[in-house]
Amino acid sequence: MDSINRQIDETELLEMEQRYRANFINSLTGFKSLALIGTVDSKGQKNLAIFNSIVHLGAHPPLIGMVTRPDSVDRHTLQNILETGYYTINHVQEEMIEKAHQTSARYPKTVSEFDAVGLDFEVINDFPAPFVQASTIKIGVQFKEKVPFAINGTIFVIGEIKQITLPQMVVQVDGFVDLVKAGTITNSGLDSYHVVLDAKRLPYAKP
Amino acid sequence: MDSINRQIDETELLEMEQRYRANFINSLTGFKSLALIGTVDSKGQKNLAIFNSIVHLGAHPPLIGMVTRPDSVDRHTLQNILETGYYTINHVQEEMIEKAHQTSARYPKTVSEFDAVGLDFEVINDFPAPFVQASTIKIGVQFKEKVPFAINGTIFVIGEIKQITLPQMVVQVDGFVDLVKAGTITNSGLDSYHVVLDAKRLPYAKP
């Protein structure tokens, strides 16, 4: 890219104004795995929260991880996961961006974000956590383990995928799921949502 | 989406053919944070490997995490990080897709993937790990902690961002980095690379 490069060293990084640094550092990881996490507490109170830290951990067993923060709106999600042992991961499409983003507001625990933002929930196969009806790809997950990171108090939540609902047409013959066709979007920074258009699949690399 | 939904339960999931399941499960996390990780061992042998599990952990201190597998090509990267304590995270643009993907081939440790795939390395400010010259956004990271996940043998590597090089024009006034303008691409599944085009930033959500 023909452009003047900017070099940021440790001193400048640590002296950045707090909100500026949050925007900046949150952008550096690149595009992120975006999803709505659906949970319910032991009394039946539903919760829905947007996460952008979903990570593939393994295919056999099918494990998925995500980072939560104890001091934020993620807290209700984590509480519910620990109470019931289950949660759902629901992909976000373009037409849901505003509603998905709105789940990040600090609603009290007595409010269901499904109601507050206007996204209907859906029960599938008696799975013990609510799915987002409007999501194209819906994943039911059983909680396996939480790993606290002492370095900054964040918590890594590991779960095993138990069931998936998705359109037949987005699954290719080799198992690859066409997320562009599914309409799944991605996220960058704290508040930017992106539609993904092009795709290029490459063959298994050999030396 | 008007389409016939497919329901996959635990039994079908566990009975999937191995490669099919790898493609399928790797797709479910949504679009991923893609980057080339540059390292060097104590003898000066360079290594470059593609990762799609980069996660933001916190802005203060600026922490970044990634998942590695001890049984794959990630291994040289992890060895080098533990030997030297440093690594670089380099964003991938469209014109580098083939070369970036090729770093996933199982080269012997005596081969530098920088040479093998044809990506020049760059030393910036005497940082003790090599950057990818062609990358628009280059991040220098100091290793802080490795957290093994007993459940499947994967390892979470946590590092602190020490320096960043990026074009001045991609940084907005509030610190947000425009990754679309930077040309950063994203990944899905095991082998699909995607250009990201649209962006919509939303204001901080309030109840």
Side-chain angles (χ1 to χ4, degrees), chain A residues 6 10 31 33 162 166, chain B residues 6 10 31 33 162 166:
Chain A
R6 177 170 166 192
E10 195 175 0
F31 294 103
S33 297
K162 291 295 176 180
L166 79 180
Chain B
R6 178 171 167 192
E10 196 174 0
F31 293 104
S33 297
K162 290 294 177 182
L166 79 179

Side-chain angles (χ1 to χ4, degrees), chain A residues 35-112:
Chain A
L36 285 164
I37 306 295
T39 55
V40 63
D41 71 12
S42 54
K43 292 173 186 156
Q45 176 66 54
K46 293 179 188 63
N47 186 278
L48 188 67
I50 194 160
F51 277 70
N52 59 11
S53 61
I54 319 285
V55 189
H56 171 83
L57 267 196
H60 188 50
L63 296 176
I64 205 159
M66 62 186 191
V67 178
T68 72
R69 298 160 167 274
D71 60 343
S72 79
V73 286
D74 304 359
R75 190 166 40 96
H76 298 156
T77 297
L78 181 59
Q79 281 175 357
N80 291 351
I81 290 174
L82 297 177
E83 264 182 48
T84 67
Y86 290 92
Y87 53 108
T88 68
I89 296 178
N90 308 271
H91 284 213
V92 178
Q93 299 103 246
E94 187 175 11
E95 64 273 18
M96 296 158 54
I97 292 177
E98 283 81 3
K99 291 175 179 179
H101 182 73
Q102 184 59 30
T103 65
S104 66
R106 293 176 181 269
Y107 293 104
K109 193 163 187 300
T110 49
V111 170
S112 161

Side-chain angles (χ1 to χ4, degrees), chain A residues 132-163:
Chain A
V132 176
Q133 193 177 54
S135 289
T136 313
I137 299 180
K138 309 174 226 255
I139 307 164
V141 184
Q142 183 180 27
F143 169 72
K144 298 306 273 185
E145 200 177 331
K146 85 177 158 85
V147 182
F149 295 142
I151 196 164
N152 73 344
T154 51
I155 293 163
F156 197 76
V157 175
I158 301 175
E160 183 171 335
I161 296 172
K162 291 295 176 180
Q163 67 168 62

Side-chain angles (χ1 to χ4, degrees), chain A residues 4 6 8 10 28 31 33 91 98 101-102 152 162 164 166 168 181 193-194 198 200 203 206, chain B residues 1 4 6 8 10 28 31 33 91 98 101-102 162 164 166 168 193-194 198 200 203 206:
Chain A
I4 297 162
R6 177 170 166 192
I8 294 163
E10 195 175 0
L28 293 181
F31 294 103
S33 297
H91 284 213
E98 283 81 3
H101 182 73
Q102 184 59 30
N152 73 344
K162 291 295 176 180
I164 302 112
L166 79 180
Q168 176 64 52
K181 199 182 267 186
Y193 299 90
H194 303 259
D198 298 351
K200 176 179 246 178
K206 292 173 185 172
Chain B
M1 180 178 285
I4 297 162
R6 178 171 167 192
I8 294 163
E10 196 174 0
L28 293 182
F31 293 104
S33 297
H91 284 213
E98 284 80 4
H101 182 72
Q102 185 59 30
K162 290 294 177 182
I164 302 112
L166 79 179
Q168 175 65 53
Y193 299 90
H194 304 258
D198 297 352
K200 176 178 246 176
K206 292 174 186 170

Side-chain angles (χ1 to χ4, degrees), chain A residues 6 8-28 189-190, chain B residues 56 58-63 160-161 164 171-177:
Chain A
R6 177 170 166 192
I8 294 163
D9 63 11
E10 195 175 0
T11 309
E12 184 178 349
L13 203 52
L14 296 177
E15 283 173 356
M16 281 177 177
E17 184 273 322
Q18 187 184 344
R19 190 77 193 162
Y20 186 98
R21 180 171 51 215
N23 278 321
F24 184 72
I25 299 295
N26 267 281
S27 303
L28 293 181
L190 283 165
Chain B
H56 171 82
H60 188 48
L63 297 176
E160 183 171 337
I161 297 171
I164 302 112
V171 185
Q172 296 186 358
V173 287
D174 64 355
F176 174 78
V177 180

